[in-house]
């Protein structure tokens, strides 16, 4: 299914006159806001709550609610309505069924506040998709801004890691991989952020007008980021990487080998950095073991059995609640055999929590997005390699494959990255296609903006209510089973 049912009369803003000039401000606003999030989110979570996972969620909500504020401007409302018109009718239907069914499931669920939060977050993510699409389509420089932000975020993680490690060595202390490292790069943020970001980081060397020395610096940052994947990355990320580097090159008609070389070079270089690190540092008697090594060699069987148990329980819940599901975000209230509060598999989570109708519509949207991206790869490489589209599509395949084993779309970092990737891909395609008029009606424009702003209001109100309830509660470090909030089985609010 092709997401784009029709093309748009939307060339870059500088050619638009007064209407195009009105889009410059919202495009720059969205680009800068999301760019700042992509820069700080992999390594920093503000102390807005006493719980680390809740910090990351609140940062995400702050950014998404802030992005929805762009809809106050008439130009932004008109642009997202035009993007809606450009979608194929089946895709529009899937979005309506997904949101409508999710809302009904939340209303009928035992913990309706939590369900409402999930639905409102989904609405905000969809609104942000349209806003990213608008910004990329109308203002091509946004692509350079997004690339730079992701690159800078990776550099920030590396700077924090090596600075912390060097300080421990200088002070004669053994570096602990649990703390401080996992305090800013744990599996919930780091590995599942990497699943979508790893392949995009080297893209800055292609998108930005850099000289040879600067391009080398980009590849060094990418290699350093890959070295951390070797150190503490999850197996699911590697499975996703394998899927991406198998599927996308097969679809390329031109530039297959250059694209593979550009993406494999940071991986191999990162592996070399890791090998040197392991030889010179981890071989020391005082060195603490890397968590991923323990997971791969000692806990792999246990982890696999947990995944099977989670899958069986999710399938059972689907059978018990086929129509409405158990309620958005409420898998953990029906399952407690392991600490997990979600099934670590995005399709099973959607079907179990949202029901076969709404969950099936959500899966249909994911399939349509992947098919759309891969078609753009095939078509764009007919005469010349489109490196950006190929790389973004590969990152999409890598992240969604990882979600089959980790359920990464429960996590705030992964959700925002998926939205950015999807909007980036669709916005690029809309900018490059032949055009035909697409003028939204006032009713459509008002409806779409109203739904987005309603989701922002619901999210803000319920998040503040949650913060008020937990403000004086003691922090239970053993209760780290996240779904929406850090403790995915908390319903006393």
């Amino acid at each position: 299914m092709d997401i784009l049912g029709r093309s748009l009369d939307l060339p870059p803003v500088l050619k638009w006159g007064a209407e195009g000039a009105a889009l410059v401000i919202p495009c720059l606003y969205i680009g800068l806001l999301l760019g700042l999030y992509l820069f700080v989110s992999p390594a920093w979570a503000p102390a807005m709550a006493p719980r680390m996972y809740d910090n990351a969620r609140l940062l995400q909500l702050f950014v998404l609610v802030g992005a929805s504020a762009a809809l106050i401007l008439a130009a932004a409302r008109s642009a997202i309505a035009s993007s809606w018109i450009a979608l194929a009718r089946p895709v529009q239907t899937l979005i309506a069924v997904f949101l409508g069914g999710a809302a009904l499931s939340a209303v009928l669920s035992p913990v309706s506040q939590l369900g409402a939060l999930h639905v409102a977050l989904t609405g905000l993510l969809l609104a942000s998709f349209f806003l990213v699409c608008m910004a990329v389509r109308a203002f091509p420089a946004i692509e350079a801004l997004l690339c730079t932000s992701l690159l800078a975020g990776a550099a920030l993680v590396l700077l924090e890691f090596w600075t912390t490690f060097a300080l421990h060595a200088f002070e004669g202390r053994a570096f602990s991989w649990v703390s401080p490292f996992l305090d800013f790069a744990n599996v919930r943020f780091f590995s599942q952020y990497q699943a979508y970001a790893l392949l995009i980081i080297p893209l800055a060397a292609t998108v930005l007008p850099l000289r040879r020395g600067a391009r080398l610096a980009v590849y060094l940052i990418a290699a350093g980021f890959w070295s951390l994947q070797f150190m503490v990355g999850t197996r699911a990320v590697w499975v996703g990487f394998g899927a991406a580097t198998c599927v996308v090159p097969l679809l390329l008609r031109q530039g297959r080998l250059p694209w593979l070389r550009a993406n494999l070079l940071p991986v191999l270089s990162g592996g070399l950095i890791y090998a040197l690190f392991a030889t010179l540092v981890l071989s020391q008697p005082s060195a603490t073991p890397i968590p991923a090594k323990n997971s791969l060699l000692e806990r792999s069987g246990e982890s696999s059995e947990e995944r099977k148990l989670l899958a069986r329980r999710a399938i059972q819940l689907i059978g018990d609640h086929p129509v409405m599901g158990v309620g958005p975000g409420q898998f953990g209230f029906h399952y407690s055999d392991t600490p997990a509060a979600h099934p670590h598999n995005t399709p099973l989570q959607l079907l179990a929590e949202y029901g076969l109708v709404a969950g099936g519509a959500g899966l249909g949207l994911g399939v349509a997005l992947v098919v759309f991206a891969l078609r753009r790869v095939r078509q764009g490489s007919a005469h010349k390699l489109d490196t950006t589209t190929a790389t973004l599509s590969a990152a999409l395949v890598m992240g969604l494959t990882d979600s089959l084993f980790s359920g990464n779309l429960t996590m705030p970092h992964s959700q925002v990255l998926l939205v950015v990737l999807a909007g980036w891909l669709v916005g690029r395609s809309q900018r490059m296609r032949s055009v035909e008029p697409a003028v939204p009606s006032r009713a459509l424009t008002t409806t779409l903006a109203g739904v987005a702003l309603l989701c922002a209001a619901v999210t803000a109100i319920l998040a503040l209510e949650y913060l008020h309830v937990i403000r004086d509660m003691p922090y239970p470090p053993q209760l780290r089973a996240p779904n929406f909030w850090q403790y995915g089985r908390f319903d006393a609010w």
Side-chain angles (χ1 to χ4, degrees):
M1 180 187 298
D2 196 333
I3 286 179
L4 297 181
R6 59 185 298 183
S7 303
L8 297 176
D9 187 14
L10 295 173
V13 294
L14 296 181
K15 300 179 181 179
W16 279 19
E19 182 181 358
L23 268 181
V24 171
I25 291 177
C27 287
L28 288 177
Y29 172 72
I30 293 299
L32 291 172
L33 184 64
L34 290 177
L36 181 61
Y37 177 85
L38 295 176
F39 169 50
V40 302
S41 62
W44 177 70
M48 295 183 290
R51 294 155 175 82
M52 181 170 58
Y53 183 80
D54 287 353
N55 289 336
R57 178 66 73 190
L58 290 167
L59 177 63
Q60 177 207 27
L61 296 181
F62 178 81
V63 169
L64 294 179
V65 170
S68 69
L71 296 175
I72 297 174
L73 300 176
R77 295 197 300 271
S78 178
I80 67 165
S82 296
S83 292
W84 171 266
I85 293 174
L87 296 179
R89 185 60 60 84
V91 175
Q92 294 175 345
T93 302
L94 287 174
I95 292 175
V97 171
F98 182 41
L99 276 181
L104 184 58
S105 175
V107 169
L108 299 177
S109 67
V111 190
S112 56
Q113 303 101 312
L114 183 61
L117 264 175
H118 274 266
V119 176
L121 174 60
T122 300
L124 280 178
L125 290 168
L126 284 169
S128 297
F129 157 75
F130 284 117
L131 290 169
V132 173
C133 180
M134 168 197 75
V136 171
R137 180 187 68 225
F139 205 44
I142 295 296
E143 295 188 73
L145 176 60
L146 295 175
C147 280
T148 303
S149 299
L150 284 163
L151 178 68
L156 182 62
V157 172
L158 291 172
L159 177 63
E160 188 163 3
F161 169 73
W162 288 111
T163 299
T164 307
F165 186 87
L167 288 173
H168 277 67
F170 179 76
E171 297 171 1
R173 294 185 293 157
F175 180 80
S176 172
W177 292 90
V178 176
S179 178
F181 182 73
L182 293 186
D183 287 345
F184 61 83
N186 65 58
V187 67
R188 296 186 183 96
F189 307 144
F190 183 68
S191 292
Q192 296 176 4
Y193 174 90
Q194 281 181 306
Y196 294 89
L198 273 167
L199 289 176
I200 308 177
I201 292 166
L203 189 60
T206 301
V207 174
L208 302 175
L210 303 177
R211 296 189 178 185
R212 180 177 299 179
R215 288 199 300 271
L216 177 61
V218 170
Y219 282 110
L220 286 175
I221 293 172
F225 209 50
W226 270 106
S227 72
L228 296 183
Q229 166 62 22
F230 277 91
M231 293 179 194
V232 295
T234 61
R235 290 164 293 168
V237 175
W238 288 111
V239 175
F241 174 70
T245 51
C246 287
V247 172
V248 171
L250 287 176
L251 296 174
L252 291 174
R253 299 179 184 179
Q254 302 288 334
R256 182 176 300 157
L257 291 179
W259 185 85
L260 276 173
R261 281 197 301 267
N263 286 279
L264 291 178
L265 178 61
V267 181
L268 298 176
S269 301
L272 178 60
I273 294 172
Y274 166 71
L276 292 172
F277 181 80
T279 302
L280 299 176
V281 178
L282 298 182
S283 60
Q284 300 299 318
S286 61
T288 57
I290 296 176
K293 184 178 181 181
N294 291 340
S295 177
L296 287 172
L297 300 182
E298 298 176 14
R299 192 176 173 271
S300 58
E302 178 188 348
S303 179
S304 298
E305 289 303 314
E306 286 182 0
R307 294 296 193 272
K308 294 177 184 177
L309 182 60
L310 288 165
R312 286 196 294 268
R313 183 54 176 158
I315 292 171
Q316 181 182 347
L317 288 176
I318 294 170
D320 294 341
H321 307 270
V323 181
M324 290 290 101
V326 298
Q330 296 171 47
F331 175 85
F333 297 112
H334 298 263
Y335 168 85
S336 59
D337 293 337
T338 70
H342 65 96
H344 287 69
N345 179 293
T346 296
L348 288 179
Q349 182 174 357
L350 284 172
L351 295 174
E353 293 186 346
Y354 291 73
L356 293 177
V357 178
L363 291 181
L365 288 173
V367 171
L369 178 61
V370 171
V371 171
F372 165 79
L374 296 181
R375 282 182 175 176
R376 298 288 82 73
V377 171
R378 186 67 172 172
Q379 295 170 1
S381 64
H383 304 290
K384 181 182 178 182
L385 173 64
D386 183 350
T387 302
T388 300
T389 297
T391 302
L392 295 177
S393 300
L396 179 68
V397 171
M398 182 172 172
L400 292 181
T401 301
D402 175 270
S403 76
L404 300 178
F405 305 95
S406 68
N408 64 46
L409 291 180
T410 301
M411 308 302 168
H413 295 64
S414 301
Q415 290 171 342
V416 175
L417 276 168
L418 176 62
V419 164
V420 170
L421 274 174
W424 195 343
L425 279 165
V426 174
R428 278 179 59 83
S429 181
Q430 289 181 344
R431 191 174 70 229
M432 294 175 180
R433 289 163 69 100
S434 58
V435 298
E436 65 180 56
V439 180
S441 66
R442 183 183 295 271
L444 176 63
T445 302
T446 303
T447 299
L448 293 175
V451 169
L453 293 174
L454 175 62
C455 289
V458 170
T459 301
I461 293 170
L462 293 180
L464 289 173
E465 181 182 341
Y466 170 79
L467 287 177
H468 176 74
V469 170
I470 69 165
R471 182 177 53 189
D472 299 324
M473 291 175 57
Y475 172 53
Q478 73 277 16
L479 299 179
R480 295 179 62 176
N483 196 314
F484 193 99
W485 302 115
Q486 177 158 315
Y487 182 37
R489 299 187 176 93
F490 178 75
D491 62 348
W493 61 289

